[in-house]
Amino acid sequence: MKLKGDQQTSRAINRRLILNLLRREGAISRAEIAAITGLSPAAVTFVVAELLSENILVEGQASLGAPGRRPIPIDINYAGRLVVGFKLMVGAVDCVLTDLATTPLISRRVSLPDQSPQSTVEACATAVRQLVADWGAPQGAQLSGIGIAMPGIIINGVCRLSHRFNWTDVPIAAMLAELVHVPVWADDDTNSFALAQQLFGLGRHHRTVGALAIGVGISCAVVIDGSVHHGANGAAGKLGHSIYDPDGPLCECGRRGCLQTFFTEPVLVRRWKEAKGFSGEVTRHDMLDAAQAGDHIAIDLLREAGEGIGKFLGDFCNVIDPEVIVGGGEAVTFGDYLFEPMRGALKRSAFSAPPPITPDWADDSWARGAAALATQKLFDFESSPGEVAGIA
Ligand SMILES: [Zn+2]
């Protein structure tokens, strides 16, 4: 005789199996779900009925052209629940309201009066109310969670350490949950980007992935066997703190010559600006325009950056052996001026055939990654329940 607990566990496993199948494959019929998962048709019918009643799944239209009995496709009700993603930056927060597929519905950037945790969560709480009000209240849709992405070591919703924000042991997720009364999750921003890629991006059909982000910092998040790998101390993937030149500039981490003191997006733009002797504001778009016009200082700097990062990426691949490396962060703007030299260096330093480096980036990718922290909970029942402080 089966115990009640076993039945609940197997039901939870079946739910996750079916939800993740639909996430990967898109809409399919109950019969196809049974055939692919190996579950009995009765078990599929039971779980699908339950998920339909919870408004997590929807039934589509049977295709009109099909002969005989037409199966009804089942899909995830992506529009049925909303989530909010916050990307914390120095001085500002990028905010996005998305559906369950992390498709942005509306977004905005909020500036911060200071970098204190309290000011940050208060700005985020105000933004949640504004985003939901601006979007209106679509029928049946509910805000089911919030994700916070920021650079640093984040464990169970607590920012253990962020050099950029000068925060130590800040329970950022709980602080925001206290104000907004919905579950809040937090993680490192590159880990969040990797998660979004794994759920709904290039990583969807791969099990082992590197997610390289070159923005204000440099990181390469690690996805192993479909899950973001955090490491023993939450510090996995900090590629940008590999030492490029021990006599190099002081890094935010307190050491000298880390990769990211040479090749982050703002450092590259600043180095180019100084080499050209420009004054005033110069952006990465100016630098790209110059490279496209044949400016050798810009081209050489981007080549140096691509080769420098690519060499360390080779070491990364020799340890992790990823199927693909997804490129993100603001430096993706530089395109093949950056990525071609990186591919060359990777090829030279990787032990076996190097994985493709595929950029996949938009301005809202950071905030969408944050949103993915909340949406993933639907697909992974074993994960932590998030910070729910303040919920009556
Ligand atoms: Zn460093």
Side-chain angles (χ1 to χ4, degrees), residues 163 240-243 251-261:
H163 293 112
H241 293 287
S242 301
I243 305 294
C251 181
E252 64 183 17
C253 73
R255 299 179 306 154
R256 284 204 170 271
C258 293
L259 194 60
Q260 68 179 45
T261 63

Side-chain angles (χ1 to χ4, degrees), residues 93 110-126 167 172 175 179:
V93 183
V110 174
S111 57
L112 294 172
D114 58 66
Q115 206 60 56
S116 74
Q118 194 59 37
S119 295
T120 303
V121 293
E122 284 170 8
C124 289
T126 304
W167 289 1
I172 188 72
M175 288 174 70
L179 298 179

Side-chain angles (χ1 to χ4, degrees), residues 84 95-97 106-108 127-135:
V84 169
C95 320
V96 63
L97 180 77
I106 43 174
S107 58
R108 60 172 62 201
V128 170
R129 289 189 279 274
Q130 287 174 341
L131 287 167
V132 172
D134 287 354
W135 179 244

